[in-house]
Amino acid sequence: MLPLSSILLLAYCFLFPLLAFISTSEVENFAPPRNLKELQDSLNSLGIQAPVNALESPVLKAVTTFTLGQASCKSTCTLLEYLLPEVVFLSASTEYKQQQSSYWSNQQAETQPACRVLPRSAKEVAITYLVAATFNCKFAVKGGGHAAFGGASSIEDGMTIDLQNLMSISVNSEKTITQVGAGNRWINVYEYLTPRNLSVVGGRVSDIGVSGLTLGGCGISYFSGRYGWACDGIVLANGQIRNANVNTNSDLYWALRGGGNNFGIVTRLDLETFPQGDMLGGVSLYPATANVSLFKAYQNFVTEQPQDPDAALILAFFYSQSQWLSNNNYEYAKPIRNPPIFREFFAIPTMSSTGRIANLTDITAELTTYNPSGFRYTTATFKNDAEIQRQIFDIFIEEMNSVKDLPGALPALVMQPISESVITHFSENGGNALGLADAEGPLLLVNLAFMWSNATDDEKIYAATSKVIHRSVAAAKKLGVYNKYIYQNYAAKGQDVFAGYGEANRQRLIEISKKYDPKSVFQKLQPGYFKLGRF
């Protein structure tokens, strides 16, 4: 295990239960600083001296003419710029404008913070957080910036903490753990690991951020059948360093496995690492009229996957160039061109196929081209069932026909299995907060994705997509195959993710939040993305 003093943030993955937080073994009070003296003490505990001296400067006195805890974020940004002059960018700067354009979603880019902060180390993250909390400045944290709605990793008139400078990647000598800075995207990780014939449980689209995928709902991987989903790491409310794993702070460890951004700021992740060479990957294109054959093959795949966990599948239908089409992703973790588990799919005539033996870097880069920036999501989960799968497809086509020809419209229905073998991993290493039990599987995870050009069409398209979800849920309840689980990484802004985890798990998350964040800093000052609710 790494020395406690060398780690600022919590870091862990699905199978490697190491977490390290900003805290110390002596500190039991998790509340943020209440005044300048406590801010100085907090910074001192991190071994930070220069900023403490700066707190007594004329600049600080000029800025802090306001009442402590009631400052505007603009004033707080001015103070932080004095403490960290090379990493704070106000709205008039060129750097600010460049960083605003780095989001995947226009809604995120259009959200204008008072300043953007690009810390270069875990300590600078701690300084930034402590100043924001002391002066009651609302903030957002950006990893890769791939969320699909405004305010998730951006904040109007607040402080955006952008982790893009935290780009370290290293593998231990045993080649079992990869340490990854929270500003990395998965392409960075794969480009580092692929030449070493190694991999981790990570994202399937190369430009997605590491921390967002793992913290925001655990994260689906091509290797999930064998290893489970990915999970993540953090900075606590008092800005100190602390470990968490299945044996130490195990309640917090459990909460972070699905609890989202409600407990701290991720600055580094330690990911279990395993040997991985070339593998099968690629996309096959079909006319949507092949749906009957595709659904039959899908159902048989789900039946067989527990016996062959190296296989992964994404089934999608979309409208493009005046026709309904289907494209499927087939991945197999070994360099086998025609694995038996895909035999029914491979027997269906294709319009085109990129299926090949390649490395993970190449395969995830290809999927990125099928996920252009600008999609907005909503999601639902169902017991795997051939009839509900067919009905969802029919409902999707019927509702989308009214909006599919709007300018720039690209509707997509994406179906993925959550197999029994995947769910079995959820109970390992202390379990997670997702609320899924072995007996509930296999499940059908539905992601309704849509992009369009004109804001004037928002109401029409939101209405149509909402109808797809509501009608599908109603049909599933009638068939007895609805499941309440909501996958956080696909959820729309208004969906109640934590209700989908079950009331017992939601209440447990709330109690853990009260323990580690008694002032509700991460509920009140970091309001974006999915919160636990009022308590």
Side-chain angles (χ1 to χ4, degrees), residues 167 200 222 336 361:
M167 294 289 289
V200 295
Y222 289 139
I336 299 174
T361 303

Side-chain angles (χ1 to χ4, degrees), residues 507-520:
Q507 287 302 316
R508 186 178 177 190
L509 287 168
I510 289 172
E511 291 307 311
I512 294 168
S513 174
K514 289 179 180 179
K515 175 181 176 180
Y516 290 96
D517 184 14
K519 299 296 184 182
S520 299

Side-chain angles (χ1 to χ4, degrees), residues 128-262:
T128 302
Y129 163 76
L130 288 167
V131 170
T134 301
F135 294 102
N136 207 32
C137 175
K138 291 186 177 181
F139 62 90
V141 180
K142 174 181 175 288
H146 201 270
F149 53 83
S153 55
S154 59
I155 185 164
E156 192 71 27
D157 297 326
M159 181 186 295
T160 294
I161 304 171
D162 192 327
L163 305 179
Q164 65 175 280
N165 285 334
L166 304 183
M167 294 289 289
S168 63
I169 304 175
S170 63
V171 177
N172 67 356
S173 58
E174 294 84 9
K175 298 182 180 180
T176 56
I177 300 296
T178 301
Q179 298 177 0
V180 180
N184 282 287
R185 298 172 189 259
W186 288 108
I187 187 64
N188 308 122
V189 178
Y190 297 149
E191 286 179 340
Y192 182 89
L193 293 178
T194 293
R196 295 168 170 80
N197 290 315
L198 299 171
S199 195
V200 295
V201 179
R204 298 166 296 176
V205 176
S206 63
D207 67 347
I208 289 178
V210 171
S211 56
L213 179 90
T214 50
L215 184 63
C218 281
I220 304 173
S221 168
Y222 289 139
F223 308 120
S224 288
R226 184 167 295 281
Y227 298 106
W229 288 359
C231 287
D232 57 279
I234 204 162
V235 170
L236 293 184
N238 63 348
Q240 309 251 321
I241 296 177
R242 190 171 282 260
N243 285 335
N245 55 45
V246 69
N247 298 312
T248 304
N249 297 318
S250 58
D251 54 350
L252 183 57
Y253 171 69
W254 175 87
L256 289 164
R257 301 174 76 176
N261 68 354
N262 289 282

Side-chain angles (χ1 to χ4, degrees), residues 1 66 110 142 207 271 277 280 282 347 374 390 394 438 462 474:
M1 182 173 290
F66 46 77
E110 291 168 356
K142 174 181 175 288
D207 67 347
L271 305 177
L280 172 68
R390 182 192 64 76
D394 290 342
D438 293 358
Y462 284 137

Side-chain angles (χ1 to χ4, degrees), residues 11 21 35 49 99 125 136 142 148 220 228 269 335 349 354 378 461 500:
F21 309 89
N35 52 52
Q49 298 299 325
Q99 294 151 20
V125 173
N136 207 32
K142 174 181 175 288
I220 304 173
L269 300 87
T354 64
T378 188
I461 293 173

